[in-house]
């Protein structure tokens, strides 16, 4: 699905990613964990095409195509979806209108005819029921005045409607209570199948109790310092990030560990 | 009492009155009533010439002359937040008989750029033909539509005709109402208009009649393009209702650079007037060369109790816009409303807003202004809310939002509030926002192009105003914003 090779990126003069290598196959769920400032959100944003960051080295191939060469909307139309950590508000633009424009943009890219209003409404109704999203919410302006839980649920709802090949959840669990977390997790579980891949970016192990990852990678100081199966999450839960940090720091040249 | 927010101010203006200054000034001419065009310049003689050409009654000539004499004592206002080169009023031709438009055989003969814009705006083919002067077939003949329409209005006693026709056929109504809302002394441009106006629209809705259709200049027979000095007068008698549409989303080019129109609205007891404008005059090129100066005085008076006047405007055109559609709330319980979207792109400048003057008891006014600045555009909101001593329980709510696209444009807000009654309530809310990279990125991540994202965000910003427009107009206005914002992302 996606192959990241020796990816280096910086913001202004500050190096954030320092050689990421990661391959994700169809049907796999990978969790990216790590302490604050490790670069895990940056990785998600770069994959989605955020221009704030400058990629200085490396390559990313998505379904055989050069991902870094594509504009963000092309990446989206090719099948990458990112659930935002902080979904933005767009006053005056209804969720329905927004989502219909997005979906028809993607359909057009795939050479499919646009859905008319009736077809679209019929299609989203089913997804709304699955996530317990009511009509009121989708008639409101995108994310405007939404609670934290509503925003995150709306992200997952959009994911289900747009039906991407690769979903990236950027700290979707942050700020959610346990009930909202369960709804979000069940949305992701319904979404994934043998054709889809998911990257779950998270600080806590909590979300992984509900979305079972096939692999866990620990990011620290711009590098993947440890990879393993789902049991790695429990190890982190018990010991925190300190042990991994110490191990990684002692393995680094002195000048790097200061940063 | 003004807050100022500007990112950059461009003081340089191109010499855009070349067309006029290059004309030679002609002294000592003798006007001849047989002439179709008056020589450039303004004098009592020219005004007499205009009035005679139009067969006007004596009272109107006197009124014009009074206006002219008063105008001579006035100075052009300098307070608006706009810059332009001085206008030479002696180099303007104040009367020219309407020329017959050249009729083209097909749209192939029309400037392809213009056709492209029409297509983007989704203007139907028949309409494109009408706008560009292509001969139309019988089915779409707009004149026949207009004739049927006019007969229906006449049946109901509604008068809807050109101002010139009204002067000849309804002189009593003109005499009674002309200048009662915007007196000829009102301001420099209104005085000039009063002296030299050549045509416009007149509308009278009799007592108890609710006009069943939206009145639009589109349906008015004998409209020969947009006049330079237009005059519109709408009178809604007791218990009547009317919705009037002015303008067109199609780009309007005009050889006249200065436009100084006057619009007067009068609403008697329980009457309602809704006046909607979409203005898309030529804004000049990217350097600001050649655009139209739009200096308009629009005012309504809620004469009787429980009357209501509502202004809705979408302004995207003109190089310079200077315009404050206002309402004088004289009748008790009367309501004034102002909903506005003003967009400035490239070198455009707009100083626009409203005045709400509360005179009667329990009067209410509502102002929603949305200013959008892109390119090097400068957009100012200037609004006055005045509550007079007797206006007990008057209420005003003002919401004034500005949106900036890019970092070379400016948004300015100049609210004036004068309250002389302690039992009244005035609220003003203002906001300035910049289209965020975050918002655009969010849209892009969902598969929406940056251009579509900007127009979606801007349309969302204007939603409160668009919902006040008649349905079809609102759809057109949305498209118009998209076209006007083209190329402003990047």
């Amino acid at each position: 699905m996606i192959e990241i090779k020796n990816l280096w990126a910086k913001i202004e003069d500050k190096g954030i990613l320092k050689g990421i290598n990661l391959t994700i196959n169809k049907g796999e769920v990978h969790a990216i964990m790590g302490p604050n400032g490790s670069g895990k959100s940056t990785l998600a944003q770069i994959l989605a095409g955020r221009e704030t960051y400058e990629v200085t080295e490396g390559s990313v191939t998505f379904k055989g195509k050069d991902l870094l060469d594509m504009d963000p909307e092309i990446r989206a139309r090719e099948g990458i979806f990112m659930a935002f950590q902080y979904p933005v508000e767009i006053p005056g633009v209804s969720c329905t209108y927004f989502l219909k424009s997005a979906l028809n943009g993607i359909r057009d890219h795939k050479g499919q005819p646009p859905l008319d209003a009736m077809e679209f409404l019929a299609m989203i109704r089913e997804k709304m029921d699955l996530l317990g999203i009511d009509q009121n919410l989708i008639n409101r302006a995108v994310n405007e005045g939404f609670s934290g839980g509503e925003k995150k649920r709306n992200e997952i709802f959009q994911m289900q409607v747009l039906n991407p090949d690769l979903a990236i959840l950027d700290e979707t669990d942050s700020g959610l209570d346990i009930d909202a977390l369960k709804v979000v997790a069940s949305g992701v579980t319904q979404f994934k199948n043998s054709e889809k891949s998911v990257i779950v970016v998270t600080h806590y192990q909590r979300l992984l109790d509900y979305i079972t990852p096939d692999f866990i990678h620990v990011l620290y100081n711009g590098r993947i310092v440890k990879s393993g199966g789902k049991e790695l999450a429990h190890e982190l839960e018990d010991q925190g990030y300190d042990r991994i940090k110490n191990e990684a720091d002692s393995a680094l040249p002195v000048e790097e560990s200061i940063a | 009492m003004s807050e100022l927010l500007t990112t950059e101010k461009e003081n340089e203006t191109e010499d855009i009155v070349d067309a006029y200054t290059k004309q030679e000034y002609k002294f000592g001419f003798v006007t001849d009533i047989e002439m179709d065009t008056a020589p450039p310049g303004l004098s009592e003689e020219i005004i007499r010439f205009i009035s005679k050409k139009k067969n006007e009654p004596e009272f109107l000539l006197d009124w014009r002359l009074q206006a002219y004499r008063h105008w001579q004592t006035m100075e052009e206002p300098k307070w608006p937040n706009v810059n332009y080169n001085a206008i030479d009023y002696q180099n303007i031709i104040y009367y020219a008989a309407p020329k017959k438009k050249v009729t083209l055989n097909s749209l192939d003969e029309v400037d392809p750029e213009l056709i492209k814009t029409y297509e983007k705006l989704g203007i139907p083919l028949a309409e494109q033909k009408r706008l560009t002067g292509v001969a139309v077939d019988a089915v779409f003949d707009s004149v026949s539509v207009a004739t049927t329409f006019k007969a229906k209005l006449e049946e109901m006693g509604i008068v809807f005709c050109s101002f010139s026709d009204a002067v000849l056929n309804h002189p009593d109504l003109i005499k009674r109402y002309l200048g009662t809302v915007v007196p000829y002394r009102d301001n420099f441009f209104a005085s000039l208009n009063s002296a030299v106006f050549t045509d416009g629209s007149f509308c009278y809705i009799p007592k108890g009649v609710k006009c069943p259709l939206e009145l639009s200049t589109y349906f008015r027979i004998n409209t020969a393009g947009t006049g330079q000095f237009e005059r519109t007068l709408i009178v809604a008698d007791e218990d009547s209702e009317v919705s009037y549409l002015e303008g067109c989303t199609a780009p309007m080019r005009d050889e006249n650079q200065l436009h100084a129109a006057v619009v007067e609205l009068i609403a008697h007891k329980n009457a309602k007037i809704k006046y909607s404008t979409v203005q898309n005059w030529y804004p000049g090129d990217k350097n600001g060369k050649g655009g139209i100066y739009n200096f308009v005085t629009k005012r309504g008076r809620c004469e009787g109790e429980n009357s209501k006047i509502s202004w809705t405007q979408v302004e995207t055109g003109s190089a310079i816009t200077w315009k404050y559609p206002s309402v004088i709330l004289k009748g008790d319980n009367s309501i004034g409303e102002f909903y506005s979207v003003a967009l400035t792109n490239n070198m455009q400048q707009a100083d626009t807003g409203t005045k709400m003057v509360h005179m009667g008891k329990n009067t209410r006014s509502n102002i929603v202004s949305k200013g959008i600045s892109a390119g090097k555009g400068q957009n100012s909101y200037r609004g006055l809310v005045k509550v007079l001593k007797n206006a007990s329980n008057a209420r005003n709510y003002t919401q004034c939002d500005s949106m900036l696209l890019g970092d070379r444009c400016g948004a300015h807000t100049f609210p004036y509030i004068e309250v002389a009654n302690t039992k009244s309530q005035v609220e003003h809310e203002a906001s300035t926002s910049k289209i965020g990279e975050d918002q655009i990125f969010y849209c892009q991540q969902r598969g929406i192009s940056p251009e579509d994202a900007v127009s979606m965000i801007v349309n969302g910003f204007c939603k409160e105003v668009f919902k006040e427009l008649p349905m079809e107009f609102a759809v057109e206005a949305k498209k118009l914003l998209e076209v006007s914002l083209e190329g402003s992302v990047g």
Side-chain angles (χ1 to χ4, degrees):
Chain A
M1 180 70 72
I2 192 164
E3 194 175 8
I4 304 169
K5 277 188 186 159
N6 191 30
L7 187 66
W8 291 69
K10 63 175 188 177
I11 183 164
E12 283 156 13
D13 281 333
K14 195 169 170 250
I16 311 231
L17 299 185
K18 300 168 183 173
I20 301 278
N21 289 292
L22 182 62
T23 301
I24 297 173
N25 298 311
K26 267 191 200 174
E28 290 177 355
V29 177
H30 288 237
I32 310 236
M33 301 186 70
N36 291 328
S38 58
K40 55 190 191 301
S41 260
T42 303
L43 177 62
Q45 304 260 341
I46 285 176
L47 295 180
R50 184 74 132 189
E51 278 170 14
T52 327
Y53 306 96
E54 190 192 337
V55 173
T56 50
E57 216 184 310
S59 68
V60 181
T61 314
F62 177 65
K63 298 197 293 187
K65 293 180 188 165
D66 180 1
L67 185 74
L68 299 178
D69 204 33
M70 298 176 199
D71 285 332
E73 67 272 22
I74 304 299
R75 299 180 193 201
R77 293 171 193 168
E78 284 283 330
I80 289 187
F81 178 94
M82 182 170 82
F84 283 63
Q85 184 177 3
Y86 305 107
V88 296
E89 299 185 357
I90 309 178
V93 177
S94 79
C95 287
T96 327
Y97 182 77
F98 175 79
L99 200 48
K100 184 163 161 266
S101 306
L103 181 66
N104 283 335
I106 292 169
R107 289 179 65 90
D108 183 59
H109 185 75
K110 291 179 177 165
Q112 297 166 335
L115 293 184
D116 65 30
M118 295 312 288
E119 294 168 322
F120 176 74
L121 287 175
M123 182 238 185
I124 61 169
R125 188 133 301 144
E126 184 197 337
K127 315 277 182 195
M128 284 163 64
D129 292 344
L130 284 174
L131 282 166
I133 286 185
D134 69 33
Q135 190 67 37
N136 266 336
L137 192 84
I138 63 157
N139 287 342
R140 282 160 62 187
V142 178
N143 294 318
E144 198 182 32
F146 283 25
S147 71
E150 283 172 334
K151 281 184 183 173
K152 296 294 168 75
R153 249 192 305 162
N154 187 37
E155 293 290 288
I156 299 304
F157 169 59
Q158 291 184 20
M159 178 188 80
Q160 291 205 335
V161 173
L162 300 180
N163 196 27
D165 296 316
L166 171 66
I168 304 165
L169 311 182
D170 186 10
E171 310 223 10
T172 299
D173 51 336
S174 67
L176 289 188
D177 61 31
I178 196 72
D179 292 332
L181 192 72
K182 280 181 185 166
V183 175
V184 163
S186 75
V188 176
T189 309
Q190 285 156 10
F191 164 77
K192 69 168 194 186
N193 61 36
S194 60
E195 294 298 310
K196 311 274 182 200
S197 309
V198 181
I199 298 177
V200 183
V201 174
T202 180
H203 185 81
Y204 303 103
Q205 169 269 340
R206 198 172 63 142
L207 180 63
L208 305 181
D209 288 343
Y210 303 97
I211 303 173
T212 314
D214 300 302
F215 299 96
I216 293 178
H217 311 278
V218 180
L219 207 62
Y220 175 58
N221 199 13
R223 288 189 179 89
I224 291 174
V225 293
K226 194 161 189 174
S227 294
K230 61 181 182 218
E231 65 287 349
L232 188 56
H234 296 286
E235 199 180 303
L236 288 170
E237 180 77 353
D238 296 340
Q239 300 166 358
Y241 287 110
D242 285 348
R243 207 177 102 192
I244 285 176
K245 279 188 194 175
N246 290 336
E247 280 175 17
D249 288 342
S250 58
L252 283 176
V254 179
E255 69 272 21
E256 284 263 10
S257 64
I258 296 166
Chain B
M1 194 167 172
S2 74
E3 65 187 76
L4 191 71
L5 197 144
T6 182
T7 44
E8 193 189 308
K9 179 117 183 144
E10 282 289 319
N11 281 314
E12 288 171 35
T13 31
E14 296 279 333
D15 183 15
I16 43 182
V17 283
D18 261 9
Y20 295 107
T21 49
K22 278 181 184 160
Q23 283 175 359
E24 273 183 41
Y25 186 63
K26 292 170 189 149
F27 295 93
F29 65 91
V30 179
T31 45
D32 174 357
I33 192 67
E34 296 305 314
M35 281 178 10
D36 268 346
T37 302
L42 187 52
S43 64
E44 290 204 3
E45 199 179 0
I46 289 283
I47 290 165
R48 286 176 198 280
F49 171 81
I50 295 171
S51 189
K52 196 161 183 185
K53 267 283 186 192
K54 303 182 78 64
N55 268 327
E56 287 177 355
E58 195 65 23
F59 82 88
L60 195 52
L61 173 63
D62 288 346
W63 194 74
R64 284 178 183 275
L65 289 172
Q66 281 173 351
Y68 174 64
R69 286 168 200 147
H70 185 74
W71 179 73
Q72 286 178 301
T73 67
M74 301 173 93
E75 274 185 34
E76 198 172 328
K78 294 282 178 254
W79 49 264
N81 187 24
V82 295
N83 290 304
Y84 56 93
N85 286 6
I87 298 164
D88 184 351
Y89 295 93
Q90 292 302 342
N91 259 323
I92 294 174
I93 293 170
Y94 289 90
Y95 181 85
K99 281 179 205 141
K100 276 235 165 107
K101 274 193 180 169
V102 185
T103 305
L104 306 174
N105 293 317
S106 81
L107 281 173
D108 298 341
E109 296 169 38
V110 179
D111 179 4
E113 275 299 306
L114 204 57
I115 298 292
K116 234 195 259 173
T117 313
Y118 286 164
E119 278 164 6
K120 282 179 197 160
L121 287 168
I123 293 171
L125 214 60
E127 180 72 351
Q128 288 186 21
K129 288 182 178 174
R130 191 185 68 87
L131 290 164
T132 48
V134 173
V136 284
D137 57 53
V139 183
F140 289 105
D141 188 352
S142 59
V143 176
S144 65
V145 175
T147 313
T148 330
F149 183 77
K150 207 168 177 184
K152 189 167 184 186
L153 292 182
E154 263 165 25
E155 226 170 80
M156 304 182 81
I158 295 169
V159 181
F160 181 42
C161 60
S162 74
F163 205 94
S164 307
D165 286 353
V167 168
L168 299 177
N169 302 327
H170 305 278
D172 44 330
L173 286 173
I174 297 290
K175 200 170 177 178
R176 182 170 163 199
Y177 290 108
L178 177 71
T180 57
V181 187
V182 181
Y184 66 76
R185 294 167 185 274
D186 194 77
N187 68 71
F188 185 82
F189 297 110
S191 296
L192 179 64
N193 175 288
S194 304
V196 303
F197 73 91
T198 40
D199 216 333
S201 304
F202 176 75
C203 175
Y204 173 78
I205 315 291
K207 276 183 194 175
V209 172
K210 291 189 171 45
C211 188
L213 293 156
E214 260 128 14
L215 293 185
S216 151
T217 41
Y218 177 93
F219 289 111
R220 211 190 64 213
I221 300 174
N222 298 332
T223 318
T226 319
Q228 191 176 7
F229 300 101
E230 250 191 318
R231 190 140 192 134
T232 301
L233 176 57
I234 298 174
V235 180
D237 218 325
E238 291 180 15
D239 302 300
S240 70
E241 264 185 58
V242 63
S243 169
Y244 185 90
L245 307 182
E246 172 198 50
C248 177
T249 51
M252 295 280 278
R253 279 178 187 261
D254 197 298
E255 61 201 58
N256 301 311
Q257 185 165 39
L258 172 67
H259 279 247
V262 170
V263 177
E264 296 180 280
L265 311 180
I266 295 141
H268 286 288
K269 192 175 164 186
N270 300 327
K272 287 190 181 116
I273 302 177
K274 184 175 174 65
Y275 193 104
S276 313
T277 307
V278 170
Q279 184 268 111
N280 186 22
W281 278 334
Y282 184 55
D285 65 13
K286 286 209 166 174
N287 301 313
K289 216 173 172 71
I292 284 172
Y293 297 172
N294 188 21
F295 300 148
V296 186
T297 307
K298 287 184 166 176
R299 195 175 302 152
R301 198 170 70 233
C302 284
E303 182 69 38
E305 51 191 73
N306 305 316
S307 56
K308 179 177 173 184
I309 288 178
S310 181
W311 298 101
T312 307
Q313 58 171 24
V314 177
E315 304 267 333
T316 61
S318 297
I320 299 174
T321 303
W322 179 97
K323 168 177 178 187
Y324 314 90
S326 306
V327 184
I328 297 166
L329 298 151
K330 191 177 165 210
D332 289 348
N333 312 316
S334 60
I335 300 171
E337 293 177 331
F338 174 75
Y339 302 99
S340 167
V341 167
L343 177 139
T344 54
N345 198 355
N346 297 322
M347 298 292 286
Q348 282 178 280
Q349 307 173 61
D351 192 309
T352 181
T354 183
K355 286 190 265 182
M356 293 290 174
V357 181
H358 293 256
M359 294 168 74
K361 292 182 179 60
N362 306 315
T363 47
R364 278 185 290 148
S365 65
N366 195 18
I367 299 170
V368 178
S369 163
K370 304 277 182 178
I372 303 149
S373 317
K376 291 182 181 176
Q378 293 294 327
N379 209 322
S380 302
Y381 169 80
R382 191 183 300 277
L384 169 71
V385 176
K386 191 170 182 169
V387 180
L388 300 183
K389 209 176 158 195
N390 293 326
S392 292
N393 298 318
R395 288 185 68 175
N396 158 266
Y397 173 73
T398 301
Q399 184 191 335
C400 179
D401 299 323
S402 306
M403 179 176 264
L404 302 171
L405 278 81
D407 49 14
R408 289 175 304 157
C409 52
H412 317 259
T413 307
F414 304 98
Y416 304 82
I417 298 169
E418 294 170 22
V419 180
N421 181 299
T422 51
K423 284 182 187 161
S424 55
Q425 196 181 329
V426 175
E427 284 176 73
H428 181 98
E429 279 182 30
S431 77
T432 301
S433 57
K434 206 170 158 177
I435 284 200
E437 235 174 76
D438 284 357
Q439 283 175 319
I440 294 175
F441 180 66
Y442 187 77
C443 295
Q444 279 183 286
Q445 212 301 305
R446 298 299 183 253
I448 298 165
S449 73
E451 293 77 22
D452 289 349
V454 168
S455 77
M456 188 185 276
I457 295 163
V458 168
N459 274 311
F461 174 73
C462 300
K463 197 177 188 180
E464 286 160 282
V465 174
F466 286 166
K467 74 175 181 358
E468 297 297 328
L469 285 172
M471 185 63 176
E472 276 176 55
F473 237 30
V475 174
E476 288 183 25
K478 273 188 187 178
K479 284 188 188 150
L480 178 60
L481 276 197
E482 277 166 34
V483 174
S484 306
L485 280 170
E486 251 175 28
S488 61
V489 196

